[in-house]
Amino acid sequence: MTTTWVLVANHGNAHLFETEGAGKGLRYVQNIPHPAGRLKNQDINADKPGRSQDSMKTGGRHAMGKEYSPKEQEALRYAKHLAEILDAGRTSHRYAQVVLVAEPRLLGELRSALDPHTAALVSASHSKDLANLAEHDMATHLEKLVQC
């Protein structure tokens, strides 16, 4: 019997399901909350960016930029956390393939964070935000997407 894990995620929450195949339905495995994903940038990082003095004669001052906003940094951390859970499931042989369903930006970050061996087990992915649906409604949508 082939077990498939189905991860449904958005920036604030994720749900993990598993199925044994077509017609077998979905079984809820766990909830993986991420409360920090619901915060605004100013709530995640209360400090202002540092300031710098120009070395030229103009003497202008400007804010130091960040490569990622605090919200984007939090999303990257969450994607890495979800990838670690999927990696742990793979190494303990809990599933043979995985389906990813996530909002588009998180889906891309999650794919980037996956170990190459885990990424090879991704059988399908869907860029949809279903994580806030009720469990029954989510299962109905997933059965159509995953054919379980």
Side-chain angles (χ1 to χ4, degrees):
M1 212 177 285
T2 302
T3 301
T4 300
W5 272 13
V6 181
L7 180 71
V8 181
N10 66 16
H11 62 278
N13 202 16
H15 304 277
L16 186 60
F17 295 88
E18 68 181 12
T19 181
E20 299 299 328
K24 303 289 184 176
L26 290 169
R27 187 177 72 78
Y28 195 79
V29 176
Q30 79 180 87
N31 180 38
I32 310 158
H34 185 241
R38 294 186 180 101
L39 298 175
K40 296 179 180 172
N41 276 329
Q42 64 266 24
D43 296 332
I44 295 172
N45 186 1
D47 293 341
K48 291 183 179 178
R51 301 201 62 82
S52 173
Q53 185 79 28
D54 280 343
S55 60
M56 300 303 225
K57 292 181 182 180
T58 60
R61 289 177 46 99
H62 54 84
M64 303 281 285
K66 292 184 181 179
E67 189 173 335
Y68 296 103
S69 73
K71 193 163 182 81
E72 290 169 331
Q73 290 173 354
E74 244 344 282
L76 288 170
R77 265 193 291 278
Y78 190 47
K80 287 179 184 175
H81 176 65
L82 294 173
E84 289 169 358
I85 291 170
L86 294 176
D87 290 341
R90 175 188 55 83
T91 58
S92 62
H93 307 288
R94 296 202 45 210
Y95 64 90
Q97 54 188 356
V98 64
V99 174
L100 305 175
V101 181
E103 59 188 358
R105 179 170 281 176
L106 183 61
L107 182 60
E109 292 164 354
L110 182 56
R111 284 180 182 161
S112 297
L114 288 175
D115 173 272
H117 300 289
T118 303
L121 298 179
V122 175
S123 62
S125 61
H126 303 280
S127 59
K128 291 182 180 261
D129 184 358
L130 301 178
N132 289 328
L133 293 177
E135 188 177 333
H136 174 71
D137 295 333
M138 192 182 309
T140 302
H141 283 284
L142 291 174
E143 286 174 1
K144 292 175 189 171
L145 291 173
V146 181
Q147 318 283 313
C148 50

